[in-house]
Amino acid sequence: MRIADFRIHSIAIADPPLRSSYGLHAPYALRTIVELESDDGVIGITETYGGEAQVQQLEALRHQLIGASPYRLTGFLSPMVEGQGKGDARSQTYLVPGENPLDATTRTYAAIEVACLDLIGKTVGQPVCDLIGGRVRDEVPFSAYPFYKHTGGGGEGADTREDEYGEALKPEALVRQVQQMVAKYGFRSIKFKGGVLEPDIEIETIKQLYRALGPEVPLRIDPNSAWTVETSVRVGRELAEELGRGGYLEDPTAGLENMAAVRARLVAEGIHTPLASNVAVTSFADIPRSVQIDAVQIILCDHHYWGGMRQVQQLARLAKTFGLGLSMHSNSHLGVSLMGMAHVAAATPHLTYACDTHYPWQSAQDEVVLGGRVPIVNGCVRIPNQPGLGVELDYDQLARGRERYAKCPYRKRDDEQEMRKHVDPSWKRLLPRW
Ligand code: GKR
Ligand code: MG
């Protein structure tokens, strides 16, 4: 089997005005859908980050892909996942995910790897999770991902989406948002995006969530490095009970050394809430120092930027070796990505937490998967009994996504700029802010 065609589709999908320490989500999130077609006419697909730079990086591989065997990807493209920067050079601290030039090659490799795995799976009649070692679970648990948000459901002008969840800029509204999401999808753990309002309000939000949901629902908070060491320790102390029951404190502060300082001070006070990260640890090169100083106890994997599914499995093995937990990170995405996440999670024994997903924030109107949105039931995605990723493209929907991309002015994610445009003209990303 040879790769006969390589098609790259830039699409835009409506995205609500969600807030984080990066700023504000734009009315459209950008994604790229890739198709690899074999000389037998089988099509493998994948979904990855969007925008112009990502397309250029994929396009640059065209001459290597056409005519190549999808079985031999590791041989000819694997230098893309090796030999990049070291330590802090790989950190995503100041850059939104998908815009870090230092993980450009691992991101691009990952997209091709997943499309090849889907192509191989569809050719030999096996699900991707079984190609990469075999599933250890048929159902993959995901967590609810509440955000502080402004009014609006995403999209612009006549293409505006319904605002399913409404404004949420106060603790009570955030609790309502979570209850709505839990009622609809059955999530059994919660990852809350903080770093937006005063820490005391975010502490109160977690306390209200804890009261509303009960101690059996694990809670996490992720301010994306918005706090000082001092504030992080204070939050860790005040939420010791709420985060301590199977939850975690994710990237409270910037940099491995600061994370280690937070950890040491909390442990000295008898608080063992683990610190998780997808900001201070974003590559294998970050791990030695992190382990040495006990900066991070849970790594968030994400096949989209860690270099694909097999790199995530290696990361899991490494995490287990060093006694670290493994969770999964996400960014705004559609069903093709969700299925990729579910397959790698299904085939990763040492995945110790429910995965993150932004999926509830996207609308059925934007889905490019044939048959519509991938179901999340009881908080889980079930691995379908189909070859490859188990999903096909709806080409009419894909065409609509391409049209939206062509019409919208966005070509990269820039949450800081959106914040200045819609909320505060003088807003700047400050790390730490509090
Ligand atoms: O969607 O605004 C967002 C999130 O802040 C996202 O960009 C982060 O990468 O989900 C992410 C995280 O866990 O840090
Ligand atoms: Mg995070």
Side-chain angles (χ1 to χ4, degrees), residues 146-161:
F147 280 74
Y148 290 119
K149 76 177 273 293
H150 297 273
T151 302
E156 280 178 326
D159 189 43
T160 301
R161 301 290 174 280

Side-chain angles (χ1 to χ4, degrees), residues 71 104 106 110 173 211 214 266 273 310 333 368 430:
Y71 289 100
T106 48
R211 282 201 292 274
L266 288 176
T273 305
R310 283 169 294 191
H333 64 91
V368 295
L430 287 182

